[in-house]
Amino acid sequence: MNVLAVDDKSFPPDAWGLTVAEFLATAPPVSRFATPLLTLDQAAMSHNVRVMSAWVASHGLHLAPHGKTTMAPALWEMLTDAGAWGLTLATAWQAQVARSVGIGRLMVANAIVDPVALRWLASELSAHADVEISCWVDSLATVRVMEAVLREAGVPRPIPVIVELGAPGGRTGARSRAEALEVARAVAASDVLTVAGVGGYEGALAHDRAPSSVARVDAYLDDVRGLHEEVAAAGLYRPGVPPIVTVGGSAYFDRVAERLAPVADEAEVVLRSGAFQIHDDGFYAQISPMGMLPGTEPFRSAMHAWVRVVSHPEPGLVLLDGGKRDLSFDEGLPVPQRIVGLSAADSDRALAGSEITALNDQHGFLRLSPDALAAGAAEALPVGAVVRLGLSHPCTALDRWRRIPVVADANEDDPRVIDVVETRF
């Protein structure tokens, strides 16, 4: 039974022992929860999925969102209901979670060389003729390891693999098209593997929109397209199925659309963007093309943290009860957005120029600016006051929470919780 318990961080004790449905029937507001608290915004998520789905369709692309961002089956379902081509995962275990909830087309954007995982893959495909699970290869060594285990395990049909092209200074992937083509030839000659497509990850090559960064991304995407053309010309793709060309995180998908447009009629160009569903108030807010491209709407951040003032140990310093165990920090520290109980205008004045400068395990350091102090920030932030924070990088925000309340609108004075999302990290 889906029963709330003490393990569900920040849920109120009077909810323990209730099912999620019973608890939601009480129409709980955010103020009923303990702090620190992470919430998701239903309106923002729906907006983001609608905007991305429409944009992908208008460019003749396909979308296999990266499920590792949320590891939340309910949020995956929102994406598949919106027409997602499939779901991307990063590990075999994540793929196992996705299969446990019935998702039938999965791409593991990683090499699978663990024998336990490979035996599971063989077993899953043997049991389900209608399921497709692909993974990546970037070297002859990877091909040989996969072949050895899969031949011993037995597979009903060759495993579809994506030949990964990397780049110097990037992550995994063959470091040249010549090396990648050699890998493709080895896969095509295999009795247990088949070349489903080519791909890679451009997000490791840049972290901003500077012209030099965009040029580096474009050059890489051109190389991926060139690899596809070489593999196709050599007749290495599995017969009877359109090849897959897959790239695209949540930062440069506009560049993918432009640079890979020439092959969209002959291949399934599959974006793996995943962070857009939640978006953020940090890294992706600064780099996402949505809202910058003509005719597009910006994504909206669908995640917020609610933290409480616990100390004023010295002038200009406020200690909050949320830290690294609760809040993401790898792509930027949280941003103070609003003091609960104050209007947006009064909050802006009281927080003007202030910033969170550090996180400990369970504390956040909010430094008040001279302007904020002059505007009465110390008085507006007494011990016990609650502050709403914007966060950066959803991929490292949701994994700290087993169950996450979903609010109708995070901009309400005391948002009402309308759903609870369970994560499977």
Side-chain angles (χ1 to χ4, degrees):
M1 186 180 293
N2 199 8
V3 175
L4 296 168
V6 67
D7 295 340
D8 298 310
K9 184 166 65 171
S10 297
F11 277 72
D14 60 9
W16 302 343
L18 299 179
T19 65
V20 170
E22 289 169 340
F23 177 60
L24 292 175
T26 67
V30 164
S31 60
R32 189 170 161 190
F33 290 74
T35 55
L37 178 69
L38 179 74
T39 62
L40 297 175
D41 186 314
Q42 181 64 50
M45 289 191 293
S46 298
H47 166 85
N48 296 343
V49 172
R50 175 185 62 79
V51 167
M52 187 62 165
S53 298
W55 187 87
V56 167
S58 71
H59 286 77
L61 308 176
H62 302 276
L63 183 62
H66 214 316
K68 71 175 175 63
T69 300
T70 66
M71 285 304 295
L75 300 186
W76 295 345
E77 184 178 6
M78 180 187 296
L79 296 166
T80 56
D81 286 350
W85 177 91
L87 192 70
T88 300
L89 289 312
T91 69
W93 172 76
Q94 292 173 1
Q96 291 164 3
V97 174
R99 282 296 304 132
S100 76
V101 296
I103 297 178
R105 178 185 272 169
L106 305 174
M107 180 188 298
V108 179
N110 206 343
I112 300 181
V113 294
D114 173 15
V116 175
L118 286 170
R119 286 192 287 269
W120 168 81
L121 179 58
S123 173
E124 191 71 10
L125 295 180
S126 295
H128 303 282
D130 59 338
V131 168
E132 177 165 315
I133 306 174
S134 60
C135 59
W136 290 16
V137 296
D138 70 353
S139 70
L140 297 179
T142 302
V143 172
R144 301 305 176 224
V145 169
M146 292 185 71
E147 285 181 323
V149 177
L150 292 172
R151 284 173 183 152
E152 180 183 353
V155 289
R157 57 192 186 277
I159 304 295
V161 298
I162 304 296
V163 177
E164 182 188 3
L165 180 65
R171 201 164 59 187
T172 50
R175 287 310 198 245
S176 71
R177 277 162 49 181
E179 291 177 16
L181 187 61
E182 184 181 9
V183 173
R185 292 188 188 280
V187 172
S190 175
D191 59 331
V192 292
L193 303 174
T194 187
V195 183
V198 302
Y201 176 54
E202 79 290 346
L205 303 178
H207 281 79
D208 56 43
R209 283 269 165 180
S212 59
S213 296
V214 173
R216 190 158 55 250
V217 168
D218 284 355
Y220 171 73
L221 295 172
D222 291 345
D223 260 353
V224 172
R225 185 180 71 214
L227 175 61
H228 157 70
E229 292 167 346
E230 290 176 346
V231 172
L236 301 179
Y237 283 128
R238 57 181 172 173
V241 183
I244 296 166
V245 180
T246 178
V247 284
S250 293
Y252 301 106
F253 52 81
D254 59 316
R255 308 312 307 153
V256 174
E258 179 176 311
R259 308 311 292 190
L260 297 184
V263 303
D265 291 337
E266 66 195 55
E268 293 185 318
V269 179
V270 179
L271 294 175
R272 303 189 311 277
S273 314
F276 74 89
Q277 184 179 19
I278 306 299
H279 200 50
D280 69 7
D281 286 303
F283 175 72
Y284 287 112
Q286 297 169 12
I287 202 170
S288 171
M290 282 302 183
M292 295 190 294
L293 296 173
T296 62
E297 298 178 71
F299 295 136
R300 292 157 47 186
S301 179
M303 62 178 182
H304 300 89
W306 308 77
V307 295
R308 196 175 302 271
V309 176
V310 294
S311 178
H312 279 270
E314 60 188 59
L317 176 61
V318 174
L319 270 294
L320 308 170
D321 66 355
K324 292 180 180 179
R325 299 292 180 90
D326 315 295
L327 312 172
S328 56
F329 58 91
D330 62 312
E331 290 284 2
L333 291 168
V335 179
Q337 293 180 323
R338 186 169 182 180
I339 301 171
V340 173
L342 296 187
S343 68
D346 287 342
S347 285
D348 287 346
R349 282 191 292 272
L351 294 172
S354 301
E355 60 180 343
I356 292 180
T357 57
L359 295 178
N360 289 163
D361 284 354
Q362 308 289 179
H363 292 90
F365 291 69
L366 175 59
R367 294 282 179 180
L368 303 178
S369 70
D371 288 345
L373 287 169
E379 292 75 19
L381 288 165
V383 170
V386 174
V387 180
R388 192 190 79 185
L389 304 177
L391 303 176
S392 181
H393 199 199
C395 298
T396 56
L398 276 63
D399 60 348
R400 291 158 170 78
W401 300 84
R402 178 172 176 260
R403 284 196 171 111
I404 306 174
V406 178
V407 299
D409 183 352
N411 291 316
E412 295 175 350
D413 288 337
D414 191 4
R416 183 171 61 89
V417 173
I418 59 171
D419 202 357
V420 174
V421 164
E422 183 177 0
T423 64
R424 301 279 294 276
F425 287 101

